[in-house]
Amino acid sequence: MKRAGWLGIAMVVAASTSLQAGDAGDIIFSQDHPRKMRAEVIYERTDRELDITSEPARIRADLDADAYILRLQTEISRTARLDFDIGAMSAGSGSHRVVGGVGLRFLAFEHEGWRGGTFAQIRYSPDLGDRFELVDDERTRVKFDLIEGDAGFLVSYRFAVADQFHIAPYAGPIGSIVRLSGDTRSDDDGDEERRFRARQRQPVGLVAGVGLQFTDLNSLRVETRYFGDFSFSVAAAFVF
């Protein structure tokens, strides 16, 4: 547990100082489903305000992205887990591209129905496409790679509604750093390509969600995140 705790702290520091906020997730660990595996299927809708920093005058823009994620939860200890995300992401009206990531979550405290936990995660998606209004006031096609790093602290309270049905709302602060890096793409008029860079406008926000937990911790979950705009995700978890 001590080693897992130090590893979690290191990932939090790394994610918050080196890198769209992804789904923060729930505070469930292997102690809750011993000798079983757990996986989640997640849909995310992300709306984030950006600063396009590669233009002579910094331009404000919006990133709209959708992602479909399979999150595999692996055990580090009874109170710490390592997650692997794999799926598809699209930005604007562009086609879906592969997205992958890794995250770490560990339990900070537990008292009766209360829990607190820290999380950190990093994701990467290459070759996304969208249109942005650049300095020439035209919507220019852009192809870019996206990297995002999130870290935060969640507090949840789990209470029973029926024998095999619990509700677990959760909330907490989150930090999220987003980097877009790529090039503009020429249209039929033959404009020259140029470098494109953008980053998040607001790196600190809030996350809140609620999980509906059934037999063996199979569950449904809804989450929203706020960074000037609202993003949301829905997830279904399976224990097997």
Side-chain angles (χ1 to χ4, degrees), residues 10-25:
M11 284 192 66
V12 170
V13 173
S16 60
T17 58
S18 64
L19 290 173
Q20 122 197 5
D23 179 84

Side-chain angles (χ1 to χ4, degrees), residues 164-187:
Q164 295 294 330
F165 177 49
H166 293 75
I167 296 179
Y170 61 92
I174 180 174
S176 174
I177 298 178
V178 180
R179 295 292 185 267
L180 276 56
S181 176
D183 299 285
T184 62
R185 295 295 169 182
S186 299
D187 289 317

Side-chain angles (χ1 to χ4, degrees), residues 152-236:
F153 190 87
L154 301 176
V155 175
S156 72
Y157 182 76
R158 183 173 184 259
F159 59 93
V161 177
D163 185 37
Q164 295 294 330
F165 177 49
H166 293 75
I167 296 179
Y170 61 92
I174 180 174
S176 174
I177 298 178
V178 180
R179 295 292 185 267
L180 276 56
S181 176
D183 299 285
T184 62
R185 295 295 169 182
S186 299
D187 289 317
D188 296 336
D189 56 9
D191 288 342
E192 293 185 359
E193 296 181 2
R194 60 182 186 270
R195 190 177 76 166
F196 173 83
R197 297 289 187 272
R199 65 185 183 186
Q200 84 294 326
R201 187 175 184 86
Q202 181 173 329
V204 179
L206 297 172
V207 57
V210 60
L212 308 179
Q213 301 172 356
F214 307 99
T215 304
D216 296 329
L217 281 180
N218 295 296
S219 66
L220 298 174
R221 184 168 53 79
V222 179
E223 180 181 293
T224 184
R225 298 169 298 282
Y226 180 73
F227 292 87
D229 287 323
F230 284 97
S231 302
F232 74 91
S233 55
V234 294

Side-chain angles (χ1 to χ4, degrees), residues 10-220:
M11 284 192 66
V12 170
V13 173
S16 60
T17 58
S18 64
L19 290 173
Q20 122 197 5
D23 179 84
D26 50 23
I27 313 176
I28 300 296
F29 301 95
S30 64
Q31 68 175 18
D32 304 310
H33 49 88
R35 296 179 296 279
K36 292 184 178 181
M37 299 290 294
R38 191 169 188 260
E40 286 186 295
V41 178
I42 305 169
Y43 167 73
E44 298 178 7
R45 174 63 182 177
T46 297
D47 295 301
R48 289 292 296 271
E49 296 178 346
L50 301 175
D51 284 329
I52 300 176
T53 58
S54 54
E55 293 298 293
R58 186 172 296 183
I59 297 174
R60 183 172 177 174
D62 292 318
L63 172 67
D64 300 321
D66 294 282
Y68 300 88
I69 304 292
L70 173 64
R71 174 172 293 166
L72 301 174
Q73 302 177 8
T74 64
E75 177 184 354
I76 296 177
S77 71
R78 288 174 52 83
T79 56
R81 75 181 212 226
L82 183 66
D83 294 346
F84 295 95
D85 290 358
I86 184 68
M89 177 181 287
S90 67
S93 59
S95 58
H96 283 83
R97 302 296 183 185
V98 173
V99 59
V102 61
L104 181 68
R105 290 162 173 79
F106 70 96
L107 185 65
F109 72 86
E110 184 171 22
H111 178 68
E112 297 179 347
W114 292 96
R115 278 187 177 182
T118 299
F119 73 92
Q121 57 192 14
I122 296 174
R123 283 190 189 168
Y124 174 73
S125 184
D127 299 329
L128 295 172
D130 201 352
R131 288 182 176 269
F132 294 98
E133 292 186 5
L134 302 183
V135 71
D136 51 12
D137 293 328
E138 296 181 0
R139 291 190 64 82
T140 304
R141 290 189 301 126
V142 178
K143 187 175 182 181
F144 57 88
D145 299 340
L146 180 148
I147 186 169
E148 57 177 333
D150 311 326
F153 190 87
L154 301 176
V155 175
S156 72
Y157 182 76
R158 183 173 184 259
F159 59 93
V161 177
D163 185 37
Q164 295 294 330
F165 177 49
H166 293 75
I167 296 179
Y170 61 92
I174 180 174
S176 174
I177 298 178
V178 180
R179 295 292 185 267
L180 276 56
S181 176
D183 299 285
T184 62
R185 295 295 169 182
S186 299
D187 289 317
D188 296 336
D189 56 9
D191 288 342
E192 293 185 359
E193 296 181 2
R194 60 182 186 270
R195 190 177 76 166
F196 173 83
R197 297 289 187 272
R199 65 185 183 186
Q200 84 294 326
R201 187 175 184 86
Q202 181 173 329
V204 179
L206 297 172
V207 57
V210 60
L212 308 179
Q213 301 172 356
F214 307 99
T215 304
D216 296 329
L217 281 180
N218 295 296
S219 66
L220 298 174

